[in-house]
Amino acid sequence: MSKEFSGILKAWEFKLKKATAKKRPKNIIFATMSVAHVDDDLDTPGEVYYAEKVLNNGDIYTGQWSDNCPNGNGKYLWSDGCMYVGDWVKGKTMGKGKFSWPSGATYEGQFKNGYMDGEGTYTGCSNDTYRGSWVINMKHGKGTRDYVNGDHYEGDWRRGHPDGQGRYQWINGNQYIGQWRHGKMNGNGTIIWANGNRYDGSWEDGYPKGNGTYRWADGSFYVGIWSKDSREQSGTYYPSSSRTGTFDWDPQDVYSNELLGCQVSPGERISAYPSQKLITWPCEGEFLQKLPIAKTPKANNPRPKRNSVDGRLSNGDGYSWGSETDAASNSVYSDQQRELSDESRSCQTDDLDNSRGFQPHCIKIQPNKKPGTTISKGHKNYELMLNLQLGIRHSVGRPAPATSLDLRATAFDTKEKIWTKFPTEGSKYTPPHQSCEFKWKDYCPLVFRTLRKLFKVDPADYMISICGNDALRELSSPGKSGSFFYLTNDDKYMIKTLKKAEVKVLLGMLPAYYNHVRAFENTLVTKFFGLHCVKMTGPTQKKVRFVIMGNLFCTEYAIHRRFDLKGSSHGRLTEKDESQIDSTTTLKDLDLNFIFRLQKVWFQEFCRQVDRDCDFLEQERIMDYSLLVGVHFREVSGSGEPVTTETPNSGLLTPTANADRCSDVSTPRISRADMDLLFDPSGWASIRLGINMPAKAELTMRKSDFEMQLVGEPTGQYYDVILFFGIIDILQNYDISKKLEHAYKAFQYDPTSISAVDPKQYSKRFRDFILKVFAEDT
């Protein structure tokens, strides 16, 4: 062994011993070894042997080796003191293993594609310990955690937080047993204090909220509606037979005093995940340096760095792996690589299409443009817009008492509406204005005020978006239903005109809708914020009814493709050339040429929520709804074509960006979406079901002789995308007009291909189709 390498090993051993001396016995990490340097010859394909490698960046690997990367059992030591010992598959940590941090923290358990995934135990440097299930570096499933302050939790976890059913035991003897959401007590649960007192009832964001009962150890109890806002608090005290005299007690003491000792510990954070460790195998760096400058690179070389459509610098996988590469070399190869990469990709796609009988499809991204026309003075609907803004300002700004989320049945009464007259000169309750005189109607104002509160809509922001100085935008043409659509200038809200029958449907389903969106935070159904009517004065007495909804595509990302999906095939094709399709074009079922692959955690939640939402709509006899999907391609070439990922494997990939140069083995890589989340774990906070969701879109092709094939055949060509989706058009019930439409079209076409079908049949067909379009990224 060389003196230089021996010195390196001794330095690392000393560093690790010092960091872990307090937690575990001292040991020698590496035995005496002979070292294969990075300039050794490349492997014989398929040969497995024991190897000891020193990488260019100073890392050390010792263990089984094959096809120029770890295969089998091995040990990897990073120069910063991190270490992994366990199973490897094609250069990825896969199977059982143990990862150690220099701080003394360890994870021992299952790995998958470099992630902590499966059953495992994490022990922090301060003995904060979690034992249980992991998914993509996150605590997810059943698990127990012993916090450093002595608290203990056992139960369900989701995306790194207690979520579901669980029990939390504080070191002071207090305990909570019940439901959790996002790491907070939420839902039905019971907290028992060490002194024997207890609260049973509803919780919200870590505090009692709604109906609940507080019991003293002597048998006395208080029953009522609970809230941190004392104005919403109400209830009755029932003393026990043993308690005599007056009893001075304020329910707000529970919030200000008794719950102070019941704070959930934040726990220890993981400083860096194993999947974040950057690895460069011996064949990569040296092989790049040995390439002659004038030599044309292979077609399967990683793509050159380019700016993505969201302004980030990328090498195709989103990050540069391993040791730093020579910037000059990158610039020399840049143009040749781009030209050859685009050409080879195009040839591969054409060959694939021809060999399998597919219709060729080329995706072109047109420059993004803002939809709609600004309504200015002189527009035919200018006065309607002014009236709408005046009415909204009046409704939202009207003083109202604080409301609880528990509404009485009278609030949903269809007769619960308020008419307000707006004369041009103004009145005691309305301001003077320059529009025509009109009347304004609010439907179920208390319900929609509470819905806005439930959806966490700030009243001031709501008024500014709709009633601010900026005018609304009218979409270029009305929908098939004859309704007109208007967008606020900040794109947050969409206003849709309704027929009288649709208003009746919404009011009829409002109690069930309210309960549904309150019970399921991640519901995909449209969010309604207000239902109103403007009645113009004059001879026409024109009435315009409209609903205010959330805009699904309110995002900083450009929406490159949007699809309206129902699961039917008749009339579900937009006959436009690719050159005519832009960001405002709504494509339909037979235009769809992708399968969207979600990460396991999100796909499972997606399936559950689609089932819940479809059950709700079926019970309300609603049909003809659709899933609106917006697609943002993470990377677009200069010619306007989305850039494919390097491999057809899943998004949970390994950081061996250049390994294909040295081996014919196809090695998966980390997708840009996954990397964004791993290097910035706070990114999870901005992701919700249907909002800002990283995914992979696999291109599909329909065979030329199957024009009515709803879901095409997968091609293995993938794109990194961000998805936005939700269920829209939920105000059409199966009334007599739809029954007649079904009877008429069923004689002319296949009854299963038309949209107008019974709600039960519609729900089943919709679910079956959507769960073919969306799949788990395996």
Side-chain angles (χ1 to χ4, degrees):
M1 180 186 300
S2 67
K3 293 181 179 179
E4 179 184 0
F5 182 65
S6 178
I8 292 173
L9 283 181
K10 288 181 179 179
W12 276 326
E13 286 181 11
F14 176 76
K15 185 176 181 180
L16 281 179
K17 288 176 184 178
K18 186 176 179 180
T20 59
K22 297 180 181 180
K23 292 183 63 65
R24 52 185 61 84
K26 300 179 180 181
N27 54 52
I28 301 299
I29 298 177
F30 289 93
T32 302
M33 62 178 77
S34 60
V35 180
H37 291 279
V38 293
D39 55 354
D40 288 351
D41 293 336
L42 299 180
D43 300 347
T44 302
E47 180 185 359
V48 180
Y49 61 94
Y50 182 82
E52 294 156 345
K53 303 280 185 177
V54 178
L55 280 70
N56 289 344
N57 60 2
D59 296 351
I60 299 175
Y61 172 80
T62 174
Q64 292 177 301
W65 188 269
S66 174
D67 293 327
N68 300 299
C69 60
N71 258 317
N73 192 271
K75 181 187 300 183
Y76 193 100
L77 178 66
W78 283 265
S79 57
D80 63 2
C82 292
M83 182 176 69
Y84 171 80
V85 181
D87 297 333
W88 298 77
V89 176
K90 296 181 180 178
K92 300 171 291 184
T93 53
M94 180 89 77
K96 290 185 178 181
K98 182 176 182 179
F99 190 92
S100 305
W101 286 263
S103 63
T106 63
Y107 169 82
E108 188 168 4
Q110 294 289 330
F111 285 82
K112 182 179 179 183
N113 294 309
Y115 294 80
M116 299 184 289
D117 198 304
E119 293 296 317
T121 299
Y122 173 83
T123 304
C125 59
S126 54
N127 280 326
D128 187 325
T129 304
Y130 170 83
R131 300 177 182 84
S133 180
W134 297 75
V135 175
I136 320 173
N137 290 338
M138 294 179 296
K139 306 171 186 72
H140 191 92
K142 297 289 184 182
T144 63
R145 184 169 187 176
D146 294 305
Y147 296 87
V148 64
N149 64 355
D151 294 353
H152 174 82
Y153 173 83
E154 57 181 316
D156 296 329
W157 294 75
R158 294 181 71 189
R159 301 199 296 274
H161 300 286
D163 199 307
Q165 193 72 21
R167 181 177 69 88
Y168 193 101
Q169 177 84 42
W170 285 271
I171 193 172
N172 59 14
N174 302 338
Q175 65 172 320
Y176 170 84
I177 304 169
Q179 295 175 323
W180 295 76
R181 180 182 290 175
H182 303 323
K184 295 181 179 180
M185 297 171 280
N186 202 100
N188 292 321
T190 299
I191 188 167
I192 305 172
W193 283 271
N195 61 8
N197 296 348
R198 61 187 288 161
Y199 167 83
D200 302 272
S202 298
W203 294 75
E204 186 176 291
D205 290 332
Y207 295 97
K209 184 66 179 292
N211 294 317
T213 302
Y214 185 95
R215 300 178 186 275
W216 284 265
D218 66 0
S220 304
F221 62 95
Y222 171 91
V223 180
I225 296 175
W226 292 73
S227 175
K228 288 183 72 176
D229 188 341
S230 58
R231 294 172 296 177
E232 298 178 6
Q233 180 89 38
S234 63
T236 305
Y237 168 69
Y238 298 91
S240 67
S241 57
S242 61
R243 181 170 290 187
T244 58
T246 58
F247 181 62
D248 184 19
W249 179 77
D250 184 355
Q252 291 297 307
D253 289 345
V254 174
Y255 297 95
S256 58
N257 296 320
E258 298 188 45
L259 287 175
L260 292 179
C262 301
Q263 300 299 313
V264 177
S265 173
E268 180 183 316
R269 295 179 63 87
I270 298 177
S271 58
Y273 295 100
S275 54
Q276 290 178 249
K277 302 303 294 179
L278 312 183
I279 302 172
T280 300
W281 301 119
C283 64
E284 296 176 19
E286 286 297 310
F287 189 72
L288 274 174
Q289 294 168 14
K290 290 179 182 179
L291 283 172
I293 295 297
K295 185 175 180 179
T296 304
K298 296 180 181 179
N300 64 346
N301 281 352
R303 296 185 301 279
K305 292 185 178 181
R306 69 186 80 201
N307 283 317
S308 73
V309 289
D310 49 2
R312 302 175 189 177
L313 191 65
S314 168
N315 65 356
D317 291 297
Y319 293 86
S320 177
W321 289 99
S323 22
E324 297 179 0
T325 53
D326 189 349
S329 299
N330 282 341
S331 63
V332 170
Y333 292 128
S334 178
D335 294 335
Q336 291 180 333
Q337 283 181 313
R338 181 180 289 106
E339 182 179 347
L340 185 56
S341 178
D342 292 342
E343 180 182 348
S344 63
R345 199 162 41 242
S346 175
C347 295
Q348 290 169 2
T349 303
D350 291 342
D351 292 342
L352 182 65
D353 296 344
N354 295 333
S355 65
R356 297 173 64 177
F358 291 129
Q359 293 180 339
H361 190 92
C362 177
I363 304 172
K364 286 284 186 180
I365 302 299
Q366 304 295 335
N368 197 49
K369 61 181 181 180
K370 213 167 188 177
T373 304
T374 301
I375 302 176
S376 55
K377 196 166 186 177
H379 192 283
K380 64 178 181 178
N381 288 324
Y382 180 70
E383 286 194 340
L384 175 63
M385 181 192 74
L386 293 181
N387 297 344
L388 186 153
Q389 291 177 323
L390 284 167
I392 293 292
R393 189 180 292 116
H394 172 75
S395 298
V396 178
R398 184 171 53 235
T403 59
S404 167
L405 295 181
D406 297 312
L407 296 178
R408 297 178 180 177
T410 54
F412 297 94
D413 191 337
T414 55
K415 297 179 181 179
E416 184 71 17
K417 47 197 170 190
I418 300 175
W419 276 106
T420 305
K421 190 175 181 178
F422 281 77
T424 55
E425 68 275 10
S427 68
K428 182 179 179 181
Y429 303 104
T430 63
H433 59 89
Q434 297 178 348
S435 182
C436 63
E437 184 175 313
F438 68 96
K439 287 184 178 180
W440 173 264
K441 183 194 286 187
D442 266 334
Y443 294 92
C444 298
L446 180 60
V447 176
F448 285 102
R449 183 184 291 269
T450 311
L451 279 171
R452 293 194 293 271
K453 179 181 178 181
L454 184 67
F455 294 140
K456 296 179 174 57
V457 173
D458 182 76
D461 292 341
Y462 184 70
M463 276 200 294
I464 290 172
S465 291
I466 302 175
C467 314
N469 295 328
D470 296 316
L472 303 178
R473 301 199 311 275
E474 183 180 65
L475 297 190
S476 57
S477 61
K480 184 179 177 182
S481 64
S483 298
F484 284 84
F485 293 86
Y486 305 92
L487 279 173
T488 57
N489 190 63
D490 59 7
D491 289 335
K492 284 185 178 180
Y493 304 103
M494 180 175 285
I495 301 167
K496 177 185 179 181
T497 61
L498 298 180
K499 298 176 183 177
K500 186 175 182 179
E502 292 176 309
V503 172
K504 287 183 177 180
V505 170
L506 178 52
L507 291 175
M509 68 186 286
L510 197 55
Y513 172 83
Y514 180 83
N515 291 332
H516 182 77
V517 298
R518 185 181 178 187
F520 304 110
E521 182 186 26
N522 287 329
T523 180
L524 298 175
V525 298
T526 305
K527 291 182 177 177
F528 295 123
F529 301 116
L531 181 62
H532 313 281
C533 176
V534 171
K535 184 179 181 181
M536 305 293 192
T537 57
T540 58
Q541 296 284 304
K542 178 184 177 184
K543 282 186 179 181
V544 180
R545 304 170 182 87
F546 56 91
V547 65
I548 302 176
M549 311 176 291
N551 178 21
L552 192 61
F553 298 149
C554 178
T555 171
E556 67 215 23
Y557 292 107
I559 302 298
H560 299 127
R561 286 291 183 272
R562 57 184 73 199
F563 297 93
D564 183 274
L565 307 175
K566 292 186 176 182
S568 57
S569 58
H570 177 67
R572 303 296 295 165
L573 179 66
T574 304
E575 296 181 357
K576 284 189 176 183
D577 294 330
E578 186 68 30
S579 59
Q580 297 176 301
I581 297 173
D582 59 25
S583 59
T584 64
T585 304
T586 300
L587 303 172
K588 300 180 182 179
D589 300 64
L590 293 178
D591 301 304
L592 181 66
N593 53 337
F594 296 106
I595 292 175
F596 302 111
R597 301 195 178 276
L598 305 178
Q599 294 171 350
K600 179 179 179 181
V601 175
W602 288 114
F603 179 69
Q604 291 175 345
E605 191 162 340
F606 174 75
C607 293
R608 286 192 295 266
Q609 195 57 54
V610 167
D611 284 338
R612 293 166 182 156
D613 291 339
C614 286
D615 286 342
F616 157 68
L617 295 171
E618 183 183 329
Q619 289 167 9
E620 295 302 310
R621 301 290 293 166
I622 302 297
M623 42 79 66
D624 215 19
Y625 48 87
S626 54
L627 186 76
L628 184 63
V629 181
V631 183
H632 167 81
F633 292 99
R634 296 296 301 270
E635 197 173 1
V636 177
S637 68
S639 61
E641 296 180 7
V643 177
T644 60
T645 57
E646 283 291 319
T647 67
N649 298 74
S650 79
L652 305 183
L653 308 169
T654 180
T656 53
N658 298 323
D660 289 346
R661 300 173 186 236
C662 312
S663 172
D664 293 332
V665 178
S666 179
T667 306
R669 284 173 205 80
I670 285 228
S671 71
R672 296 193 56 200
D674 292 327
M675 285 307 307
D676 286 348
L677 295 180
L678 292 174
F679 276 90
D680 181 18
S682 63
W684 282 104
S686 65
I687 300 173
R688 292 179 55 195
L689 188 65
I691 300 175
N692 199 32
M693 294 199 65
K696 280 191 171 294
E698 182 178 8
L699 186 68
T700 62
M701 295 290 179
R702 291 182 177 83
K703 293 188 177 181
S704 55
D705 54 342
F706 288 96
E707 293 184 0
M708 304 307 284
Q709 183 183 7
L710 269 179
V711 181
E713 299 291 332
T715 63
Q717 188 171 334
Y718 288 75
Y719 303 90
D720 279 328
V721 297
I722 293 177
L723 297 181
F724 301 82
F725 51 82
I727 297 176
I728 63 170
D729 296 337
I730 63 170
L731 298 181
Q732 178 60 62
N733 61 0
Y734 196 52
D735 57 12
I736 186 63
S737 65
K738 286 296 178 180
K739 291 177 181 178
L740 290 174
E741 180 185 343
H742 172 80
Y744 174 73
K745 289 185 176 180
F747 278 110
Q748 297 179 300
Y749 311 103
D750 179 2
T752 62
S753 70
I754 60 178
S755 295
V757 294
D758 176 85
K760 186 173 183 179
Q761 182 183 346
Y762 192 96
S763 173
K764 183 181 185 307
R765 183 180 65 186
F766 179 81
R767 293 186 223 205
D768 292 344
F769 173 63
I770 294 303
L771 295 183
K772 289 178 182 176
V773 172
F774 285 79
E776 181 183 338
D777 186 358
T778 57

